[in-house]
Amino acid sequence: MTIGVALPLHHEIDGTVRLAREAHEAGLRSAWFGQTFAYDSPTLAAIVGREVPGLHVGTSAIPVFGRHPLLISSQAQTAQAAARGRYHLGLALGTKYLTETGFGIPHERPIRLLREFLTALRQLVETGSADFHGELLTATTPLPGAVPGAEPPVPLLVAAMAPQALRVSGELADGILPYLAGPRALAEHIVPAVTAAAEAAGRPAPRIVAFVPGVVTADAEGVREKATEALAFYERFPSYQRVIGLSGGTRAVDQAVIGDEEAVAAEVARYREAGATEVVFTTTDLGTEADRRRTWKLLGELANG
């Protein structure tokens, strides 16, 4: 199992590159970037991937609403070429609130859109061309769509946790990016569903890249208090409410891994046993700077142990 971290997005680009170098030097295998309304995550991943050789970079995750497969393919292939084959593209359904408030478009038929988006995007990243005509979108290439050096084809991952999204992801994607899904939800609901869908479609076993908020710290109570506030945003969305409940929790902070090295290592092992092929720690900066370094040191040791 590989282990990575999600890098915070409040630094200038040079600062982000420095953090990525530190993560790589600590032994971590990957650095991931969220997509908000600020930084363009594939561009940031491309810069970091080029500046930090050997470190895998990824986005988690770009909502399909308000985007088009042709444009995402261009971004992803460019990032893949810049990172010399170490880029991983994460997609998401997004939320009704952010889609309709931010883009002014209806958040309707998300599963159908995801299916069509993945179908067209797969053609583009694997062949450099597309001839797709669906109900919700069209993607054709009157001009070439391949980027030189974008090899191997960009892996397509989806932030899927609900049954229909897991089914589509198993059929059409290379893996999933669950967040706030604890070991119980993974083992009992998420991993079996996406694996069965992949098997039925004749695809390889999917990657399960579990995103986990966590910090190694001596001040577990203080960091947990900060995590409660930082993660409360997700509690307003039914998809996260559902997966938190399936994990045995009531609040988002219940899925945070906070404690000393022994406690955090034990939780990482639980994710592995639950079927995670990769673990990515998020919000590792909730404690002190010393806590963050301590967290990355442990995760690097686990990644190479």
Side-chain angles (χ1 to χ4, degrees), residues 18-192:
R18 284 193 295 271
L19 278 177
R21 286 201 180 100
E22 183 181 333
H24 186 46
E25 290 167 359
L28 290 158
R29 305 296 179 83
S30 62
W32 295 75
F33 306 93
Q35 180 62 59
T36 63
F37 294 119
Y39 277 120
D40 179 71
S41 56
T43 302
L44 193 56
I47 294 169
V48 170
R50 189 166 182 82
E51 291 290 321
V52 190
L55 184 69
H56 286 255
V57 290
T59 56
S60 177
I62 301 173
V64 294
F65 283 91
R67 273 81 176 184
H68 190 278
L70 286 170
L71 300 179
I72 294 298
S73 172
S74 295
Q75 289 179 295
Q77 289 190 71
T78 301
Q80 181 72 316
R84 297 180 174 87
R86 290 175 280 107
Y87 175 68
H88 308 258
L89 172 63
L91 299 171
L93 293 174
T95 67
K96 182 180 179 68
Y97 169 73
L98 292 177
T99 299
E100 298 188 353
T101 303
F103 290 99
I105 57 177
H107 188 269
E108 296 175 349
R109 303 183 69 188
I111 299 301
R112 182 68 204 181
L113 179 60
L114 177 64
R115 179 177 292 280
E116 294 189 6
F117 206 103
L118 285 169
T119 301
L121 188 57
R122 175 73 67 187
Q123 295 177 18
L124 289 161
V125 299
E126 291 189 349
T127 71
S129 63
D131 186 15
F132 179 80
H133 303 266
E135 293 181 48
L136 302 180
L137 62 82
T138 294
T140 65
T141 44
L143 297 173
V147 174
E151 296 290 342
V154 178
L156 306 181
L157 308 166
V158 181
M161 295 184 291
Q164 292 186 73
L166 289 170
R167 186 179 308 115
V168 173
S169 300
E171 293 173 5
L172 299 172
D174 298 303
I176 58 171
L177 305 162
Y179 181 52
L180 297 179
R184 191 164 95 183
L186 287 177
E188 297 179 5
H189 301 277
I190 292 173
V191 175

Side-chain angles (χ1 to χ4, degrees), residues 221-235:
E221 183 177 347
V223 172
R224 187 168 297 279
E225 184 176 339
K226 291 181 180 178
T228 299
E229 181 179 352
L231 299 174
F233 169 79
Y234 297 97
E235 297 168 4

